[in-house]
Amino acid sequence: MSSVVRPPTSGQDPLLTGTYRPISSHLAIAPPVSVVIPAMNEAENLPYVFKTLPDWIHEVVLVDGNSTDDTVEVARELWPKVKVVDQQGKGKGDALITGFEACTGDIIVMVDADGSADGNEIVSYVSALVSGADFAKGSRFANGGGTDDMTFIRKLGNWALCTIVNRKFGARYTDLCYGYNAFWRHCLDKIDLDCTGFEVETLMNIRVVKAGLKVQEIPSHEYLRIHGTSNLRAVRDGFRVLKVILRERSNRRALRRREHQSPMLDTGRGELS
């Protein structure tokens, strides 16, 4: 059942149409959209991030990683209804999991706080979801995407890791380690996130495939971080991503062995199969 409708025309019952949020002149949606922004000392970048967020989103959840600058104050000034959640643990994965738990929307969008993502692209992610996708995955290397922030070595590493995931899990990704994604809230029950670092995006991408969810890639352009320096370390985090891939592959093999070794009772024939 699609949640996409055209804006109500005159004569329609306002009680039936009043909950729809207009996105453009020809599109409106019913599902509320939550945007999760993990941030630590990003006060200078938040004005650029919030400036591009569409006004039709349901809520913004800012996960503060114990910032020592004015990150929280700036967020509240820019978006008075922002929901601020204090991160108790450490790492981007931990921050996102914390933010997801605080969301009340049916659709959840992940956006970085460094100004590298364009909030105007959210409409493309949401459109893909209400049109039938379970998970809308941003890609810098799909036709129409791009990046200003990746060195040749990082591009090579991303390509190699993406190729491994595609071959080992039957995916068709063009990008693997990118943090701009959106999904239906119910997907969280099927992917059961349990990592704390930058490898969280890779874990999500693998588990949505393993869960049999419908994925649609969304061309996205990644811009340079505006202020400050990233906590990402290409070699260190690359090995963490590889470790996640190997672990998930090992878990998949173990599950297949258990399924093969455990006989299932065929109630229709009254015998084991």
Side-chain angles (χ1 to χ4, degrees), residues 137-248:
K137 179 189 177 306
S139 174
R140 296 161 291 187
F141 304 111
N143 187 26
T147 178
D148 301 330
D149 194 39
M150 291 186 76
T151 63
F152 173 77
I153 295 300
R154 284 181 59 198
K155 287 181 180 179
L156 182 62
N158 185 68
W159 172 83
L161 293 169
C162 189
T163 299
I164 294 173
V165 168
N166 286 345
R167 290 181 178 178
K168 298 299 183 182
F169 297 95
R172 288 183 164 183
Y173 295 142
T174 60
D175 197 353
L176 184 67
C177 308
Y178 190 41
Y180 201 171
N181 303 296
F183 52 90
W184 290 99
R185 183 183 182 84
H186 65 75
C187 293
L188 292 173
D189 296 330
K190 300 179 181 179
I191 61 178
D192 191 25
L193 298 176
D194 54 3
C195 68
T196 60
F198 281 101
E199 69 275 15
V200 64
E201 291 107 353
T202 297
L203 182 64
M204 295 181 75
N205 293 333
I206 291 175
R207 289 191 175 172
V208 296
V209 171
K210 290 171 67 175
L213 300 175
K214 183 178 179 181
V215 181
Q216 181 173 330
E217 284 197 331
I218 306 298
S220 177
H221 192 98
E222 178 187 40
Y223 297 91
L224 290 170
R225 165 181 277 274
I226 300 174
H227 297 288
T229 57
S230 172
N231 292 320
L232 176 67
R233 298 294 179 266
V235 176
R236 177 200 67 187
D237 294 309
F239 277 111
R240 293 185 68 164
V241 168
L242 181 59
K243 184 178 179 180
V244 164
I245 295 172
L246 295 177
R247 184 189 71 186
E248 291 300 302

Side-chain angles (χ1 to χ4, degrees), residues 10 14-15 40 54 65 78 102 109 125 167 171 188 200 219 231 238 242-243 248 251 264:
S10 58
L15 294 177
M40 183 174 70
L78 294 169
V109 183
Y125 289 83
R167 290 181 178 178
L188 292 173
V200 64
N231 292 320
L242 181 59
K243 184 178 179 180
E248 291 300 302
N251 291 345
M264 299 294 292

Side-chain angles (χ1 to χ4, degrees), residues 13-168:
D13 188 343
L15 294 177
L16 298 178
T17 59
T19 59
Y20 287 95
R21 291 176 172 81
I23 291 181
S24 66
S25 60
H26 61 282
L27 179 67
I29 63 169
V33 177
S34 298
V35 174
V36 176
I37 306 175
M40 183 174 70
N41 297 327
E42 299 285 8
E44 290 185 292
N45 291 321
L46 289 184
Y48 301 92
V49 177
F50 280 83
K51 181 174 63 175
T52 65
L53 294 180
D55 57 9
W56 46 262
I57 60 178
H58 167 63
E59 67 180 354
V60 175
V61 177
L62 181 92
V63 184
D64 179 49
N66 300 305
S67 297
T68 56
D69 65 0
D70 297 329
T71 291
V72 173
E73 291 76 10
V74 170
R76 285 175 172 154
E77 180 179 347
L78 294 169
W79 202 279
K81 294 184 179 180
V82 65
K83 180 186 292 186
V84 177
V85 181
D86 294 326
Q87 182 180 357
Q88 302 303 315
K90 294 182 178 180
K92 184 176 184 181
D94 180 84
L96 285 172
I97 293 171
T98 300
F100 296 159
E101 292 175 348
C103 290
T104 61
D106 295 329
I107 290 175
I108 299 175
V109 183
M110 305 157 45
V111 176
D112 287 339
D114 59 4
S116 62
D118 183 359
N120 291 306
E121 293 179 359
I122 290 178
V123 64
S124 298
Y125 289 83
V126 172
S127 295
L129 294 176
V130 298
S131 296
D134 296 305
F135 191 88
K137 179 189 177 306
S139 174
R140 296 161 291 187
F141 304 111
N143 187 26
T147 178
D148 301 330
D149 194 39
M150 291 186 76
T151 63
F152 173 77
I153 295 300
R154 284 181 59 198
K155 287 181 180 179
L156 182 62
N158 185 68
W159 172 83
L161 293 169
C162 189
T163 299
I164 294 173
V165 168
N166 286 345
R167 290 181 178 178
K168 298 299 183 182

